[in-house]
């Protein structure tokens, strides 16, 4: 009797694992089919200027001393 329940338990485990695997594969295929590659977008921004430190908001007053030292005396 114990062998029979052990066999059913192993079979039940494999059925659950198989169902989970099918669920994961179906979800992946659904996402691939729905979200798939739609090709090139219909909009075009052209060339965007991207030069480091060229932002008008990035202008800071230069410090007279190197690093984080402020003031003429280095205080």
């Amino acid at each position: 009797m114990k062998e029979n329940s052990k066999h059913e338990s192993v079979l039940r485990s494999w059925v659950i694992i198989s169902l989970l695997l099918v669920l994961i594969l179906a979800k992946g295929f659904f996402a691939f089919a729905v979200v798939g590659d739609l090709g090139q977008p219909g909009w075009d921004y052209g060339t965007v200027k991207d030069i480091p430190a060229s932002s008008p908001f990035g202008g800071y007053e230069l410090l007279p001393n190197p690093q984080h030292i402020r003031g003429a005396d280095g205080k």
Side-chain angles (χ1 to χ4, degrees):
M1 181 135 146
K2 291 204 173 220
E3 289 181 21
N4 193 14
S5 66
K6 183 178 178 182
H7 178 68
E8 290 176 4
S9 176
V10 170
L11 180 64
R12 183 176 172 193
S13 298
W14 278 109
V15 168
I16 292 172
I17 291 170
S18 300
L19 288 175
L20 289 173
L21 181 62
V22 167
L23 177 70
I24 291 169
L25 291 175
K27 185 177 178 182
F29 178 74
F30 177 74
F32 177 76
V34 171
V35 181
D37 186 14
L38 301 176
Q40 289 284 43
W43 43 264
D44 182 18
Y45 289 128
T47 305
V48 179
K49 185 177 178 183
D50 185 21
I51 301 172
S54 66
S55 172
F57 304 107
Y60 301 102
E61 183 181 324
L62 295 176
L63 297 176
N65 298 308
Q67 299 284 333
H68 58 280
I69 301 172
R70 294 185 177 273
D73 299 335
K75 293 180 183 179

